[in-house]
Amino acid sequence: MRSALARRDVGQIFMLLNRRHGMTQRRIAELAGFAASEVYEITRGRQVMAYDVLVRIAEGLGIPRALMGLGYGEGAAQERHVEPLPLDGPEEQKQFVAALAGFAVGGSPDVDAWLPRLGERPASVPEVVNPEAIATVREITQRHRELDATYGGGSCRDSALGYLAWARCLTRSRCRTPDLAAALCAELADLHNLVGWMSHDLGEHLEARRHLAQGLVYAQKAGDSTLMADAYYRLGRVSIHQGNPAEALHLFQLGQIVATNSNCLTSVAILHANIAWAHARMGNAPAMRDSLARAHHEIGRADTTDAPQWTRFFCEPGDLEGMSGVVHSALARHSQYREQHAALALGHASRALKRRTETSRSGALDHVTMALGYALLGEQDKVVPHAQAVLDAARQVRSRRLLDRLSDVADVIEPPRDKQLAELVTTIRARVAA
């Protein structure tokens, strides 16, 4: 929140109040002096820049004006940071992706203007970084990774972000050897990638892109191609979620370049599976089948016991099945492939569900694939139990991405043909809008 206030990012402030603290958009509007429709527009990207309006917001919401740089008072951020470049428009995103592409071919593009501003304060850090300090960063990152996988990004993103602000201060300490310096950069890359993924899971895609770009920078400094592939993979996932499969394909292919150079077969398999998803979204069936087959081939010959930590989710028995279901259901959205590939999606998702916990985010996403497959086949009576399973899981899995994917199911089954389906669509819409 302090970071959003310092940037005067009113949309982010409103989203944090709404999603993290349960304040309704109507209540925010009453306090800040807006119409409810204006609050919605602001959370969707409308800019608020007028000084008097910012003052009204601060006073209405009880925010110390100094935290927004609006004049007097104690508590202003101790460090001032130049605002990062915007990433809202298509041209800005195109420039951002073009700059990131340089890392894949061994360049060192200047991307500092897009990187996240964490508002670091002076912290008590060791004078010298030792292996134990680096191991601690690794352990805390892994614990957050496990929480995110089970309960969603909303369960631990703030905790990871707070730790990241401190861990980055270790770069001010001295590393006795180049290997230790590289190891520190690798752990910071992994943590930035994870925070970026959690931000994406919460629907905060702009912040996700910034953290993933920072992860890419640290990964290159560490000389770690697998972590560079991780950053490209997750950047592509942000693009595909935002409805830009062509951009996603470009990012996945960049990730594939560095993954191949790393000789890490698990990361190669992950990138092939996601390239298949991008092709499926664009209706390119032959390329989709080829990429998905290559993903199965590469994971089949990978030594999963030695896989990098970030790739190990894909070594689980159900994950490639679940991903295959997502890919086939994406192709099934194109009418000429609907019947065959919706049925294939159901088969893969069903097998995935048998191999993992339904209450985890992955299990809930498998239920989304099942519901979507049945909706595409017109078997709407079979949609309800799977959609209800997702709604039940969403009570403990804090993932905006999960609800957005469930919203796709509601889009397919509208108009519902009976009362139960109508109630389901209404419930989904209400949960998505909450």
Side-chain angles (χ1 to χ4, degrees):
M1 179 63 88
R2 282 181 178 272
S3 176
L5 291 169
R7 299 194 311 270
R8 299 181 187 175
D9 186 344
V10 178
Q12 179 74 357
I13 293 165
F14 286 175
M15 281 199 294
L16 288 169
L17 291 172
N18 176 241
R19 295 180 183 175
R20 306 273 183 83
H21 302 285
M23 187 180 289
T24 65
Q25 290 188 359
R26 185 178 299 279
R27 181 59 175 158
I28 293 170
E30 291 172 353
L31 292 172
F34 289 101
S37 59
E38 289 180 294
V39 170
Y40 175 78
E41 291 170 3
I42 290 167
T43 62
R44 301 291 288 183
R46 174 181 151 188
Q47 299 296 305
V48 179
M49 303 179 69
Y51 181 87
D52 57 338
V53 177
L54 292 168
V55 169
R56 188 184 75 208
I57 293 168
E59 291 178 349
L61 295 173
I63 299 167
R65 288 169 47 149
L67 291 177
M68 296 181 72
L70 296 173
Y72 54 80
E74 298 292 331
Q78 293 182 344
E79 295 186 16
R80 296 286 179 182
H81 296 277
V82 177
E83 287 298 301
L85 288 179
L87 279 171
D88 302 307
E91 278 305 312
E92 293 155 347
Q93 290 186 25
K94 189 179 296 185
Q95 293 171 11
F96 173 69
V97 171
L100 295 183
F103 290 105
V105 292
S108 297
D110 182 4
V111 297
D112 286 355
W114 285 292
L115 300 182
R117 309 296 191 249
L118 296 186
E120 295 174 356
R121 296 180 176 84
S124 176
V125 294
E127 182 179 341
V128 177
V129 176
N130 56 30
E132 289 74 20
I134 294 173
T136 299
V137 178
R138 184 182 308 117
E139 179 183 353
I140 291 176
T141 299
Q142 180 57 22
R143 291 192 179 189
H144 281 90
R145 197 191 325 270
E146 291 165 358
L147 284 170
D148 166 69
T150 303
Y151 301 111
S155 67
C156 55
R157 202 282 297 265
D158 287 350
S159 171
L161 191 57
Y163 183 74
L164 175 59
W166 181 87
R168 277 172 53 124
C169 293
L170 290 171
T171 58
R172 302 202 304 255
S173 303
R174 183 165 56 89
C175 292
R176 286 199 174 98
T177 67
D179 286 347
L180 277 179
L184 175 60
C185 285
E187 297 308 328
L188 291 175
D190 195 18
L191 186 50
H192 267 290
N193 287 352
L194 180 59
V195 169
W197 183 249
M198 292 173 175
S199 300
H200 165 53
D201 200 46
L202 286 170
E204 298 173 15
H205 305 299
L206 187 149
E207 282 303 300
R209 288 174 184 267
R210 296 194 192 285
H211 281 285
L212 292 166
Q214 181 69 79
L216 192 53
V217 171
Y218 276 125
Q220 189 194 51
K221 287 181 179 178
D224 193 320
S225 296
T226 63
L227 285 171
M228 290 176 67
D230 179 26
Y232 280 124
Y233 149 65
R234 298 185 193 279
L235 282 160
R237 289 291 290 263
V238 174
S239 298
I240 207 166
H241 187 88
Q242 293 191 294
N244 193 341
E247 181 181 89
L249 179 60
H250 180 50
L251 288 162
F252 292 147
Q253 288 171 335
L254 291 170
Q256 188 64 269
I257 292 171
V258 292
T260 301
N261 290 339
S262 74
N263 294 317
C264 173
L265 296 181
T266 49
S267 59
V268 170
I270 290 169
L271 269 302
H272 275 308
N274 282 273
I275 287 170
W277 190 6
H279 282 306
R281 288 287 297 270
M282 293 186 288
N284 189 344
M288 180 277 281
R289 294 188 188 101
D290 177 65
S291 294
L292 196 56
R294 294 177 73 180
H296 281 268
H297 174 71
E298 297 297 350
I299 201 65
R301 68 191 189 96
D303 179 5
T304 57
T305 60
D306 195 36
Q309 192 66 54
W310 78 266
T311 70
R312 291 186 184 176
F313 74 94
F314 208 68
C315 303
E316 297 296 322
D319 213 274
L320 185 51
E321 289 283 6
M323 187 65 194
S324 298
V326 169
V327 171
H328 284 290
S329 65
L331 189 60
R333 298 293 293 268
H334 300 269
S335 58
Q336 66 269 41
Y337 302 115
R338 180 153 301 168
E339 187 171 343
Q340 178 188 358
H341 288 275
L344 287 170
L346 288 170
H348 284 293
S350 177
R351 289 189 291 274
L353 273 171
K354 292 175 182 177
R355 298 180 179 185
R356 52 189 178 194
T357 307
E358 293 188 21
T359 54
S360 69
R361 183 177 57 201
S362 295
L365 288 168
D366 291 333
H367 277 296
V368 171
T369 303
M370 295 291 293
L372 182 58
Y374 283 126
L376 288 168
L377 290 173
E379 300 178 32
Q380 296 191 358
D381 54 317
K382 296 180 180 178
V383 171
V384 176
H386 293 288
Q388 190 58 55
V390 180
L391 292 169
D392 292 342
R395 294 191 179 97
Q396 64 177 0
V397 177
R398 297 178 60 189
S399 169
R400 180 72 192 183
R401 180 165 57 103
L402 175 61
L403 292 175
D404 287 346
R405 295 270 292 276
L406 185 60
S407 183
D408 290 342
V409 178
D411 292 342
V412 171
I413 63 179
E414 281 195 314
R417 69 187 183 198
D418 61 31
K419 181 179 179 181
Q420 188 179 23
L421 280 170
E423 291 175 349
L424 175 65
V425 170
T426 299
T427 301
I428 292 172
R429 298 296 187 207
R431 290 294 296 276
V432 171

